[in-house]
Amino acid sequence: MKSPIATVRHVLDFIKRLVRTVASPMKHDHGRGGMMVQPYRGYGSRTQVFVMGRVFRQARLGRMIPRRSMLRDTADVVRRVARRGYADARVEIRLGDNGVAVTTDRDGYFDAQLPITHPLPEEVAWHRADLVVTANSQPPVQASVDVFVALPETDLMVISDIDDTVMYTGVADKLRMLYRLFVEKPHRRTAFSGAASLYQALHRGAEGHAQRPIIYVSRGPWAIYEVLETFFQLNHIPVGPILFMREWGISLRHPWPRRAEDHKRDLIARMLALFDEMPCILIGDSGQHDPEIYTQIVEANPDRIKAIYIRRVDDKPDRERAIQRLRDQIRHTSCELVLAPDSNLMAEHAYANGYISSHGVEAVRRDIADCKDDPA
């Protein structure tokens, strides 16, 4: 048992790491403040791409604050919380010889649809888009962002939930999740065992060298985008566009955020329309509405959805029976709903159906075995 002094030190270490991580995105401006732009990773097809982001005002860092200290980190956290969206800013986006200009909404967000009239290189999936932001008398701000465009030979895409599907995010364990993420071996303690290998295998495909699009959705707000980016990097999970579930703003006409399940359904429909005719695998968990939403998607697109993988996050008999009824409901289609206790069963099904390679399923088995051998 740890002594009280050791416990206090551990807590202080946790707080310092958490503050440092939350403050880390603020380091890029070197304390200058002013108008900033934060683009989010884009995605698209050979005919159109989407780039989202936010333009905001950021306070300047006081000159008297040391550049490297806990005080600096705390000040940067305050600056981040105090950000205010920049409405009606003009955002010009260039991708190759293609361009578009949009304006930000009242909260500073923009969602640009860029038609591809000049073809992009077909041998690479990742491209760089350049942004120039202007507003009133502010000096122009430049930025760039990665955009994923599916290769012509892409055979499959994956749409996955994040919360309780890729990572542990139980509502009662938020503080514990932060503790695991920033203090205790985050690569082992925040992601489900075998999840990283499973998503790598799905990304690479049956031949092991594909670059399939993986699109992640979350119930969280855009404010946690950077935390999720850190999580993906630490856990070696293939990156992809992250489409969050919550609306960006609340208006008098719509005083309540839209229901998460409605928004998720619309996002998936949007992706299916964007990647026309491309087969798809849906991944979610049994704790929320994923099985019901995904079943509706299958019924609307019986030839597009090849598999539904649902991670079982509890042992409630009533919930399992409900999911079994959903499985029977789509039995007449080519899609199979798999309720899996771990990543291994998902990987085995994917391998049996030719979605991943033998190396991929072995990597999942190995990672799960390693976690059992070293549960800490």
Side-chain angles (χ1 to χ4, degrees), residues 43 58 124 137 153 180 187 206 240 245 247 260 269 282 366:
Y43 60 93
Q58 194 157 279
V124 294
S137 58
E153 65 272 16
R180 287 170 171 169
H187 63 290
M245 301 307 303
E247 297 286 3
L282 302 175
R366 186 167 54 251

Side-chain angles (χ1 to χ4, degrees), residues 47-73:
T47 59
Q48 59 182 328
V49 302
F50 296 86
V51 178
M52 297 170 284
R54 191 186 189 200
V55 179
F56 50 85
R57 298 180 182 88
Q58 194 157 279
R60 183 184 299 274
L61 186 70
R63 294 183 179 181
M64 300 300 293
I65 298 177
R67 293 296 175 180
R68 294 182 180 180
S69 65
M70 181 64 178
L71 181 59
R72 162 67 189 268
D73 291 338

Side-chain angles (χ1 to χ4, degrees), residues 293-324:
I293 295 171
Y294 293 172
T295 298
Q296 293 173 13
I297 295 293
V298 171
E299 291 179 326
N301 305 270
D303 299 325
R304 293 284 301 278
I305 312 302
K306 298 305 178 183
I308 296 175
Y309 297 143
I310 298 296
R311 184 180 297 280
R312 189 177 65 199
V313 295
D314 54 47
D315 295 319
K316 298 178 180 178
D318 290 346
R319 185 58 176 152
E320 291 199 22
R321 284 192 292 268
I323 294 175
Q324 175 63 50

Side-chain angles (χ1 to χ4, degrees), residues 126-163:
W126 287 101
H127 306 265
R128 191 184 78 168
D130 295 313
L131 291 75
V132 178
V133 181
T134 53
N136 298 329
S137 58
Q138 296 288 328
V141 175
Q142 298 182 2
S144 62
V145 65
D146 292 330
V147 177
F148 181 91
V149 177
L151 298 175
E153 65 272 16
T154 302
D155 64 331
L156 184 73
M157 70 171 169
V158 178
I159 301 178
S160 174
D161 187 30
I162 296 177
D163 315 282

